[in-house]
Structures are given as C-alpha cells and as structure tokens.
Amino acid sequence: MRKVCVIGWPVAHSRSPLIHNYWIETYGIADAEYVTFAVSPDGAGDTIRALRSFGFIGANVTVPHKETAFAALDRHDAVAKRLKAVNTIVTTAKGLEGRNTDGYGFIANLKDRAPLWKASAGPAAILGAGGAARAIAAALEDAGAPEIRIVNRTPSRAEALIRDLDLKSAKVCSMAEAARALENASLFVNTTTLGMKGESDVIVDLDLLPKSALVTDIVYTPLETGLLRRAREAGHEVVDGLGMLLHQAVPGFEAWFGVRPEVTGKLRKLVLADMAGK
Ligand code: ATR
C-alpha cells in the first residue's frame, strides 16, 4: 500500500484528499491512498520526521506546519530552502526530502488560465507578506518579473520578506501607497485572506493599474472575489485562485506515484461541487 497524507491542524477541511484520490482513480494507481492526518502543533516536528513509521511514503503539509516541516527535515529542494517552508514531502533514496510547490502552482495556474501573460512584461504588485506572498514573490522573480512591489499593512513584514528571500529588485509599500504601487505594473495579486467569505474585500483603487495588467487572487471561496469582480468590470484579465490549489498538487503526485497528473476542467468541477456542498 502506498499511503500519502496531508498534515495540518485542523485538516478536515483540506481538499487535497479529493484531488489526489481523484488522480489515483483516474490513472489507475493500484494500492494507493491519500488521507488526512491531523497533527497538533505540539510535537509536529517529531511526527513529521517519523512519517515513514506511520506508514506514509510522502505527505503534503498545510497550515500551521509548513515552517515546522522545514525545520524538522534534513533535506530540502532549492525552493523550500529559499522559503524555509515545506508543503510537500517525498521519500528519496537518501530519506525524506522537503519541497515547496506553492510558487510553482501559482505560476502554472497563470500559464494555464492566462497563457499570453508574461512575468517579464512589467513590475508585479503583491498584496500581503505572509507565507503565500513569500512563495509567490520568489516564483515571480524566478519567472522574470523585473520588479516586485510588496504592499502590506505591516511594512516591517514586507521588509523581512525581501531580506529573507534576497529579492533583487523589490520595494515595500504601505497600504496608503497601495494604489500607486499599481502604476505600470503587469500583475496585481492578493495573497491575504481579504475577500474570503465573511471577510472584508480588498479595497485598493485600481485606477493606476494599466488595463493590460492581469489581476489574480489566491482566495478561491468565493471563486470571484470582490477584487476580481472589480478588476473584471474595469476591463482587466482575471484569474481565480482555485487553479493554484490544483497545480501545486501536481509535482507531489508525480513524485509519489510516478505519473504526472493533469489539471482538467473535470477536476476543477469536482472541487467546485465539493465546495458548493459545504
Ligand atoms: P499566509 O501564511 O497564509 O500567507 P499570514 O502569514 O497570516 O498568512 O499572512 C497574512 C497576510 O494577510 C499578511 O500580509 C497580513 O498583513 P500583516 O502582515 O499586516 O498582518 C495580511 N492581512 C490579513 N488580514 C488583513 C487585513 N484585515 N488588512 C490588511 N492585511 C491583512
């Protein structure tokens, strides 16, 4: 039996089992199973190190354990090392290795849904400076963004992000400067929880953002956030956040089961139906 889990606290809400079990079935992977594994913060590092003894060949790691997983493991790929956070664990010949596919998922989603957009086309403006913003900022720099502007309520966290990732061309902007941070940008992305069901919307004025700029959100409940609606109405191309969740799962599945799975409309519909039922 090849068992893989998603480790989180809480983790019952995770849609990773739905995605991976769909692929297990679609590709006819025999004797494979993907389950949730609720691990409390207390002793999470030990549990992660002992993953194999719990019967798992790999795992995804979600909130709040991504940094703990990084610290618990001895081996990492280059992206996890840079972010100091792990969302995917694979068994290699040398033992457990921590990887991070969040930034990959972000870029793959944009390539999928907005194939003409290019990171190199202009500065990228990122709202937020948490873990998701880190993964996205690093991925955008790697994809060729000429400048990255981090807009955050707490500017010191944005400064720490730039320092920790050693971003080559980056600026910090306060919320008061947010509208100006969009001037001549080619991308605006919300990485905060603003716009999620029950939260207030992103209220940044989009007037200075060029009409050719792409607007995207990592929030996917609702699929069209207030920000995406305003951007669409203003004539921007928009990409919702659901695809990031789907695409970040691809490299892990391939590493565990040896098949590179496809993100299809059918999978998207399956996850949307699951979201509608909850
Ligand atoms: P994650 O790791 O999931 O990205 P996080 O580390 O909690 O989450 O980061 C959340 C981000 O959303 C931060 O940038 C946070 O701003 P601060 O650094 O100032 O805390 C931002 N955020 C959350 N709620 C917000 C709000 N009401 N207004 C503005 N920014 C908010």
Side-chain angles (χ1 to χ4, degrees):
M1 191 71 172
R2 283 181 290 175
K3 265 176 66 179
V4 177
C5 62
V6 53
I7 299 172
W9 185 263
V11 74
H13 65 279
S14 171
R15 295 199 170 83
S16 291
L18 182 68
I19 297 166
H20 288 285
N21 287 318
Y22 170 78
W23 283 334
I24 285 171
E25 202 184 306
T26 301
Y27 296 103
I29 313 287
D31 298 325
E33 189 186 14
Y34 188 106
V35 298
T36 57
F37 187 10
V39 175
S40 77
D42 192 26
D46 290 338
T47 305
I48 288 165
R49 265 190 298 274
L51 203 61
R52 302 280 298 273
S53 66
F54 287 97
F56 296 111
I57 61 155
N60 281 125
V61 183
T62 187
V63 180
H65 296 322
K66 291 184 183 186
E67 289 78 19
T68 305
F70 175 82
L73 298 171
D74 299 326
R75 299 181 177 284
H76 311 94
D77 73 354
V79 182
K81 248 181 223 157
R82 187 176 187 194
L83 299 175
K84 295 192 171 55
V86 160
N87 80 332
T88 303
I89 302 175
V90 305
T91 301
T92 71
K94 293 178 175 168
L96 294 178
E97 181 178 294
R99 301 181 181 174
N100 196 306
T101 68
D102 286 332
Y104 162 83
F106 176 78
I107 297 287
N109 183 34
L110 296 191
K111 281 188 177 157
D112 184 10
R113 314 283 296 182
L116 297 180
W117 178 83
K118 295 240 172 321
S120 57
I126 298 176
L127 180 63
R134 285 177 180 246
I136 288 169
L140 282 169
E141 180 176 77
D142 288 347
E147 184 186 312
I148 293 172
R149 300 168 184 162
I150 312 285
V151 182
N152 201 42
R153 180 176 59 181
T154 314
S156 61
R157 283 192 85 199
E159 277 154 20
L161 181 157
I162 291 170
R163 195 176 53 239
D164 292 350
L165 297 182
D166 192 22
L167 292 178
K168 297 293 177 256
S169 180
K171 286 198 178 99
V172 171
C173 303
S174 67
M175 291 303 280
E177 297 163 326
R180 286 216 27 227
L182 304 187
E183 207 168 357
N184 78 350
S186 69
L187 175 77
F188 180 39
V189 51
N190 171 46
T191 73
T192 74
T193 51
L194 290 171
M196 204 179 266
K197 251 176 223 158
E199 295 237 16
S200 50
D201 278 331
V202 172
I203 53 161
V204 177
D205 189 332
L206 303 178
D207 280 0
L208 293 180
L209 186 67
K211 288 294 174 244
S212 57
L214 179 67
V215 178
T216 185
D217 206 320
I218 70 161
V219 172
Y220 56 86
T221 49
L223 206 51
E224 185 176 64
T225 58
L227 170 66
L228 294 186
R229 183 180 34 76
R230 276 200 299 130
R232 177 175 56 74
E233 285 168 1
H236 295 280
E237 184 173 17
V238 298
V239 173
D240 67 65
L242 180 58
M244 179 177 171
L245 171 76
L246 306 178
H247 282 281
Q248 63 76 32
V250 169
F253 189 91
E254 184 179 23
W256 303 317
F257 302 118
V259 176
R260 190 164 183 86
E262 228 186 307
V263 172
T264 58
K266 201 170 162 197
L267 174 61
R268 209 177 135 84
K269 277 196 196 115
L270 184 74
V271 177
L272 283 172
D274 184 67
M275 280 162 46
K278 282 184 182 155

